[in-house]
Amino acid sequence: MTEKSLRVLIIGSGGREHALLKACKASPLVAAVAVAPGNGGMEQEAICYPLNVTDVHAIVALAKRLDANFVIVGPEAPLSVGAVDALVAEGIPVYGPNKAGALLEASKTFTKDFLMRHAIPTAWGKKFTSSEEAVEFLAAQKFPIVIKASGLAAGKGVIIAEDYDAACSAVYDMLDEKCFGNAGAEILIEEFMEGEEASIMLMVSEDKYVMLPASQDHKRVGDGDTGPNTGGMGAYAPAPVVTPEIEKAVVETIVEPTLKGLLADGIRYRGTLYVGIMITAEGPKVVEFNARFGDPECQVLLPLLKTDPVQLMYDCATGTLDPSKVEFRDGFNIIVVLAAQGYPSTPRKGDIISFPSKLPAGTAILHSGTEREDSGDIVTAGGRVLGVVAHGATLATAAQNAYALIEKIRFEGMHFRRDIGARQLKRDGV
Ligand code: AMP
Ligand code: GLY
């Protein structure tokens, strides 16, 4: 591929897509980049087009109108409705799995069947559509136990039930009260796994893959992992909790059997495979798969690549990936998410954000839920508003750099976790 040959369209509007945009802007391969729908921060760096990301026809029409020769799909929703299949049918290379591959995220029962069929370590699980049968099954189980809506529920469809009564009410809420709509029409009852969680993102081109450094997300809204679950309040990478031994076990028992299993099942996977693992006493086990980069994990992982991430994504999309050529940078990246008043339940919108005039080297402010007003002001427009990313030779310096920058950012109701990376910092003796 030659310099300045790619006209890229990025689909999505969060911090992950802002990180993808920055990678495109830094890539010598990219002649032009547009985003749809984007957000207030991305509008300052690229043209953003309005788009309903689950409207496959609109995605194809926009890619053709822009004469895009490479599309990067950020979020899961367009993947799960077949945006990639439609773009590929038009001859446009796309980074992101097709509809069949995206089922690894869109259907937890499909994934559980897949994992069990290919003998990949995971919690045992059993699927139900009848609350009567589910409750009868629960009567003979040990607690805690995990109840999951099978479909896409924006990260909210998982209940860890401490006892029989809590488990039964989760079952009734999902199957009878339809609290997650159709996403909970089928549920999974799953063994509770004890251990520490980590995420491993793979850039996959069917049988070939690049494994990015392990990362750790922080899903609860409050310090010390308290309060309700969110889309992710912060992350860091590399995560040393994934030791070389654990990484080897992940590759041998999870990654390679998964990629072989996909091919054996006729699924030609090209895009990110997000492997959420629990490090248990019996070794790493799969908690979940996602069919895309994590948000906010993507924001710390892309800048750790010395190799051009756009080149890697394009090579995955076109089947030309050469994993032996990939290089990483030293040091650690951290991201702290700044959330709006009321997040995660009912985030307030419209608060004006004030930014520092200059960014220190090795830091970035990525936008998630922001809008740009006609006045030029950037205002809050979503739950997760900004992500503050910082690099450091150690995790401790990365964290110091991020928190120092946060001091200079302000909006009414802004809240964030002050303990991103704390578990690892404690292990490091900081
Ligand atoms: P999921 O959407 O499947 O990743 O689940 C969301 C979160 O629930 C995970 O990140 C874990 O913290 C927790 N979780 C899910 N499944 C299990 C399990 N089987 N055992 C323990 N925790 C779990
Ligand atoms: N940060 C978790 C996710 O993207 O699903």
Side-chain angles (χ1 to χ4, degrees):
M1 206 192 341
T2 54
E3 290 209 347
K4 294 205 178 295
S5 58
L6 294 182
R7 293 178 302 281
V8 186
L9 171 62
I10 298 170
I11 307 293
S13 62
R16 166 184 49 216
E17 288 74 25
H18 198 177
L20 290 164
L21 173 60
K22 285 201 183 289
C24 285
K25 298 210 74 152
S27 169
L29 303 174
V30 175
V33 54
V35 187
N39 62 35
M42 290 192 252
E43 273 177 38
Q44 296 173 314
E45 297 171 35
I47 300 184
C48 295
Y49 295 87
L51 179 74
N52 166 2
V53 298
T54 54
D55 183 343
V56 172
H57 293 292
I59 294 174
V60 173
L62 180 63
K64 285 168 97 174
R65 177 151 71 88
L66 298 177
D67 196 22
N69 57 8
F70 185 37
V71 177
I72 302 172
V73 181
E76 61 276 20
L79 298 170
S80 69
V81 293
V84 174
D85 311 60
L87 288 161
V88 168
E90 295 288 338
I92 303 171
V94 193
Y95 184 74
N98 57 17
K99 190 173 176 177
L103 269 181
L104 285 182
E105 173 162 7
S107 169
K108 290 190 191 290
T109 51
F110 169 87
T111 299
K112 191 58 74 180
D113 287 342
F114 174 89
L115 290 167
M116 308 236 277
R117 193 169 64 246
H118 294 290
I120 297 165
T122 187
W124 62 252
K126 205 166 153 44
K127 55 186 170 182
F128 294 92
T129 48
S130 142
S131 59
E132 222 173 295
E133 286 170 24
V135 163
E136 193 183 313
F137 174 78
L138 283 171
Q141 299 309 312
K142 287 206 222 90
F143 297 89
I145 206 160
V146 184
I147 319 282
K148 297 183 171 183
S150 178
L152 294 177
K156 299 198 180 103
V158 175
I159 304 288
I160 296 175
E162 294 299 333
D163 53 35
Y164 175 74
D165 287 345
C168 290
S169 52
V171 164
Y172 292 130
D173 286 349
M174 290 185 199
L175 287 177
D176 298 343
E177 303 298 325
K178 302 264 180 277
C179 70
F180 297 116
N182 222 18
E186 189 174 36
I187 63 164
L188 195 62
I189 297 184
E190 200 177 277
E191 170 193 7
F192 176 77
M193 295 186 285
E194 215 148 338
E196 189 161 341
E197 279 185 89
S199 311
I200 301 207
M201 262 147 268
L202 311 166
M203 299 175 78
V204 176
S205 182
E206 302 189 12
D207 58 331
K208 298 191 196 66
Y209 66 94
V210 169
M211 188 154 111
L212 300 178
S215 56
Q216 259 188 328
D217 187 11
H218 297 60
K219 287 197 172 150
R220 304 292 202 94
V221 74
D223 285 354
D225 293 325
T226 53
N229 257 324
T230 70
M233 293 297 289
Y236 68 92
V241 66
V242 179
T243 60
E245 294 73 49
I246 294 172
E247 190 176 291
K248 184 164 178 274
V250 169
V251 168
E252 288 171 1
T253 67
I254 297 173
V255 172
E256 294 191 340
T258 296
L259 298 191
K260 279 204 191 95
L262 285 169
L263 283 176
D265 293 352
I267 297 175
R268 303 178 62 183
Y269 199 100
R270 292 181 175 187
T272 303
L273 180 65
Y274 173 130
V275 186
I277 60 166
M278 188 73 80
I279 303 166
T280 73
E282 293 137 43
K285 296 187 182 181
V286 176
V287 178
E288 62 166 342
F289 286 131
N290 290 319
R292 47 160 179 95
F293 282 116
D295 185 342
E297 295 93 324
C298 178
Q299 293 88 309
V300 289
L301 290 173
L302 294 184
L304 282 176
L305 274 166
K306 205 183 272 178
T307 312
D308 181 0
V310 178
Q311 173 91 59
L312 291 178
M313 288 189 276
Y314 189 79
D315 290 347
C316 285
T318 53
T320 53
L321 183 70
D322 179 357
S324 69
K325 289 201 182 133
V326 179
E327 289 183 281
F328 296 98
R329 281 183 219 287
D330 291 335
F332 292 79
N333 281 345
I334 195 167
I335 177 166
V336 181
V337 170
L338 308 183
Q341 166 98 45
Y343 180 70
S345 52
T346 42
R348 189 171 71 196
K349 296 185 180 176
D351 289 308
I352 295 179
I353 308 170
S354 71
F355 292 92
S357 50
K358 247 185 27 213
L359 287 182
T363 66
I365 299 174
L366 299 174
H367 290 232
S368 301
T370 66
E371 257 170 36
R372 192 168 58 156
E373 304 218 300
D374 292 341
S375 61
D377 282 339
I378 300 283
V379 300
T380 63
R384 294 189 289 177
V385 177
L386 300 171
V388 175
V389 178
H391 182 80
T394 63
L395 181 59
T397 33
Q400 274 159 17
N401 295 343
Y403 285 107
L405 179 53
I406 289 171
E407 296 283 312
K408 305 197 171 90
I409 304 170
R410 232 169 227 111
F411 53 87
E412 245 339 273
M414 169 174 126
H415 64 99
F416 58 91
R417 279 184 61 164
R418 287 163 207 275
D419 66 344
I420 304 303
R423 265 201 207 194
Q424 182 58 37
L425 290 171
K426 201 164 157 203
R427 276 194 284 264
D428 291 344
V430 178

